[in-house]
Amino acid sequence: MKLKDLGYNNEIEKLNLATGQEDLVVGRVITEHKERYIVQTELGEFEAEITGNLRYTATSRASFPAVGDWVTLMVYDAHSAIIHKILPRFSTLSRKAVGRLGDIQIIAANINYALIVQAVDRDFNLNRLERYITLCHNSQIEPIIVLNKIDLVNEVQLSAMMGHIQNRMPAVQLLSVSAQTQLGLEELKSLIEPGKTYCLLGSSGVGKSSLVNVLSKKQKMESKAISEQSNRGQHTTTHRELLLLDGGGILIDNPGMREVGITDTAQGLEKTFDTLLNFSENCKFKDCTHTVELGCAIIEAVESGTVDKSLYENYLKMEKEKAHFESSIAEKRKKDKDFGKMVKHFKNLKKSKR
Ligand SMILES: Nc1nc2c(ncn2[C@@H]2O[C@H](COP(=O)(O)OP(=O)(O)OP(=O)(O)O)[C@@H](O)[C@H]2O)c(=O)[nH]1
Ligand SMILES: [Zn+2]
């Protein structure tokens, strides 16, 4: 396999050269499991761990490799290697880590486009679409909306739904498909750019797996992986989280990504609600919160019907969540600081006793 097939390009080459470690091999992380990584390189696949140095200098979970990362490796034998460096990421899809306050967990790195899948059935929900789009904007990922299961509705119903989406999210590319009847699939396939990395986002049951199956050579890669494994007489996870799409795209599909709760979405609001927020230029007060103020141009636009009320309401709801998220981060910083102070105090105490 060529690195280019995995998305390697001139920019990544530059980052690689900048490490000044030309004796190392460059590769892309295709699977992660409990701090063990499978890295695909031009020399083949390696099972890798990170260097002790990388571990000890880690400041958060974001310092560890994630699926999609480009890394440099010291190769030890035909199958094992040590990860020395993670090349700088151009995008990260992350979420709040479970448990620890304000900690961020990176689900995948270096994704160019997200296919936001929504089904035309009960799943259809504009607010939710806006949340996924915000998540993308927050992650430096370009969103593309894929309306799936269009075999379940008639043309009139479909064009109404498409109209609703275009009305609320005019800047986002929109496609409609049926993974089942393969309607619209050619258009989706033709959109896939070689060397670009994609992911699928959407609720459970919208048809993400079905789309993966019709878009990728998944089966082929998996059976190859299994035979490689059995040659070595070893049993490890063979699930590939980075797949090659027909047409030369790369797809990252991992369990973490499927669990990205849309409640995790906190930022990127400005871009998503661009059309709404443009009105705020005419708000009477500079620090207008667009909730209760007299002379709020956004409220006026909603009241006069220039702006969709449900758009405004979804904005307020997400803005509130953002504030909540930010205060939880501030709280974590304070806790860390207090803990630091306590440690320092304790050390001083020990010193003074000596
Ligand atoms: N009618 C119809 N059914 C579909 C279509 N695409 C998928 N389905 C069905 O929808 C159900 C869910 O599809 P999946 O592909 O498993 O959905 P998913 O998004 O991967 O779900 P999770 O794995 O839970 O995230 C399955 O029964 C599919 O057969 C479609 O285009 N039309
Ligand atoms: Zn206002």
Side-chain angles (χ1 to χ4, degrees), residues 236-294:
T236 45
T237 52
T238 53
H239 182 72
R240 293 306 185 260
E241 297 176 355
L242 194 145
L243 316 162
L244 300 184
L245 298 175
D246 302 347
I250 299 122
L251 179 78
I252 296 182
D253 182 28
N254 72 27
M257 196 167 291
R258 295 214 166 188
E259 290 157 14
V260 186
I262 31 189
T263 47
D264 297 342
T265 320
Q267 286 148 48
L269 284 179
E270 287 75 10
K271 206 166 165 185
T272 306
F273 294 96
D274 190 40
T275 44
L276 180 76
L277 291 172
N278 275 341
F279 286 94
S280 69
E281 278 174 23
N282 295 321
C283 289
K284 191 171 168 193
F285 304 105
K286 246 198 178 146
D287 58 351
C288 186
T289 63
H290 323 306
T291 50
V292 292
E293 293 86 350
L294 281 176

Side-chain angles (χ1 to χ4, degrees), residues 1 5 189 192 194 209-225 238 240 242-251:
M1 183 181 285
D5 299 333
K189 279 187 181 172
I192 305 286
S209 304
S210 312
L211 282 169
V212 172
N213 286 334
V214 289
L215 288 175
S216 81
K217 302 182 173 95
K218 186 184 179 190
Q219 265 106 10
K220 227 166 151 184
M221 264 187 90
E222 261 184 351
S223 52
K224 180 173 163 272
T238 53
R240 293 306 185 260
L242 194 145
L243 316 162
L244 300 184
L245 298 175
D246 302 347
I250 299 122
L251 179 78

